[in-house]
Amino acid sequence: MSMSLILRQQKTLELVRERGYISIEELAQYFDVTPQTIRRDINQLADEGLLRRYHGGAAHDSSVENTEYTMRVGYMLEEKRRIAEAVAAAVPDHASLFINIGTTTESIAHALLNHTGLKIITNNLNVAKILSTKEDFEVLIASGRVRPDGGVIGQATADFFKQFKADYALIGISGIEEDGTLLDFDFQEVCVSQEILSSARQVFLAADSSKFGRNAMIRLGSLKQVDSIFTDQQPNEQYLKTIHDLGVNLVVAQ
């Protein structure tokens, strides 16, 4: 193994840890090498379990903390947009909705702006801001502690959701295991999402393909609590089997 390769791979790891996610293009420009070279580096580092391959780039995978919000917003934008359109298409006008924290649910909020007469109950300040611009929407925001990413969490937040029964819960997630376990990072956020799951008539889970097999530390629940899962590409055989066995409707947003 040449010295330059070792140094480049070490620097790649540093950059990925620093930023959470970095694209192949950026790395190729940074090191002044071809995208193919970077792709080989990433494959090698991923095989050693040092980082994670993601569409068009690499990510630092920590099961303890989530990637920085600014990174998550820009990540898999096109996939999230497609998922959001599919979720919005499944939501009728004049419905009541729970919407939880996440960059995917923020995409869904944008996609819902063409609807009429929605009632939205959310613990996501960004979602509230997007949807409150519509005269015919009613938006309720939960109280609690506000995180830097605009998520509202805590016991007061969970109690707030307890008061309602909504037609649909539109939720995002940090990770899904092959047995259908839903995982997240923040214990206080999980408590709120669990309340949302149990207080909705139908649960729509929006999860881009990077969430399948992604590790997070806290168990939120199971796919069996979900009615439909919306993603951007067909998951592997094991996931398909789990989704089928648990009777969950799978929507792949092309």
Side-chain angles (χ1 to χ4, degrees):
M1 205 187 264
S2 73
M3 195 59 202
S4 62
L5 172 67
I6 295 171
L7 289 173
R8 191 175 65 238
Q9 291 192 346
Q10 275 178 334
K11 187 67 194 164
T12 297
L13 279 177
E14 268 169 49
L15 288 166
V16 170
R17 287 211 177 103
E18 216 168 88
R19 299 200 202 174
Y21 170 81
I22 192 163
S23 73
I24 287 169
E25 275 69 41
E26 283 175 278
L27 287 167
Q29 276 175 353
Y30 184 92
F31 293 113
D32 196 23
V33 294
T34 65
Q36 281 78 359
T37 303
I38 294 298
R39 218 168 263 125
R40 274 198 300 273
D41 283 359
I42 287 173
N43 285 338
Q44 212 172 328
L45 292 166
D47 291 342
E48 291 167 32
L50 295 169
L51 52 71
R52 236 187 115 162
R53 271 183 296 254
Y54 272 151
H55 301 286
H60 170 52
D61 210 15
S62 162
S63 65
V64 184
E65 55 184 325
N66 208 347
T67 321
E68 278 297 318
Y69 177 74
T70 45
M71 294 298 322
R72 299 202 311 268
V73 168
Y75 177 59
M76 290 189 91
L77 267 182
E78 177 53 32
E79 289 84 349
K80 284 176 188 166
R81 194 190 58 72
R82 292 207 312 267
I83 291 167
E85 295 291 339
V87 171
V91 172
D93 289 332
H94 306 286
S96 57
L97 313 171
F98 289 140
I99 302 180
N100 78 344
I101 303 174
T103 51
T104 310
T105 50
E106 286 161 30
S107 297
I108 293 170
H110 284 291
L112 287 169
L113 288 170
N114 299 324
H115 279 59
T116 51
L118 295 179
K119 280 191 169 51
I120 299 103
I121 302 154
T122 185
N123 62 326
N124 185 329
L125 289 183
N126 305 317
V127 164
K129 199 166 187 288
I130 294 160
L131 293 174
S132 58
T133 56
K134 287 224 35 186
E135 293 286 323
D136 63 325
F137 284 8
E138 189 185 323
V139 181
L140 297 177
I141 184 101
S143 58
R145 182 166 73 79
V146 182
R147 292 195 315 205
D149 66 357
V152 183
I153 54 168
Q155 191 51 54
T157 322
D159 291 344
F160 179 80
F161 280 101
K162 267 200 184 100
Q163 305 172 74
F164 304 95
K165 188 89 188 167
D167 298 327
Y168 299 90
L170 312 181
I171 66 166
I173 194 74
S174 291
I176 305 170
E177 296 210 305
E178 284 193 340
D179 66 356
T181 303
L182 304 177
L183 300 167
D184 228 313
F185 290 97
D186 185 326
F187 181 70
Q188 290 190 302
E189 179 185 344
V190 165
C191 296
V192 177
S193 295
Q194 284 169 339
E195 213 44 71
I196 290 173
L197 278 176
S198 60
S199 304
R201 294 186 178 92
Q202 274 207 66
V203 177
F204 289 173
L205 175 65
D208 66 65
S209 47
S210 74
K211 303 295 167 66
F212 290 89
R214 182 168 180 229
N215 290 321
M217 211 169 61
I218 299 158
R219 182 194 289 267
L220 189 153
S222 160
L223 266 182
K224 65 170 173 278
Q225 296 163 275
V226 171
D227 295 282
S228 294
I229 179 167
F230 294 78
T231 188
D232 56 282
Q233 61 182 45
Q234 182 109 316
N236 73 30
E237 285 304 310
Q238 185 51 57
Y239 278 107
L240 285 176
K241 184 178 173 344
T242 300
I243 289 167
H244 179 264
D245 291 350
L246 295 175
V248 182
N249 175 38
L250 172 68
V251 180
V252 179
Q254 296 299 353

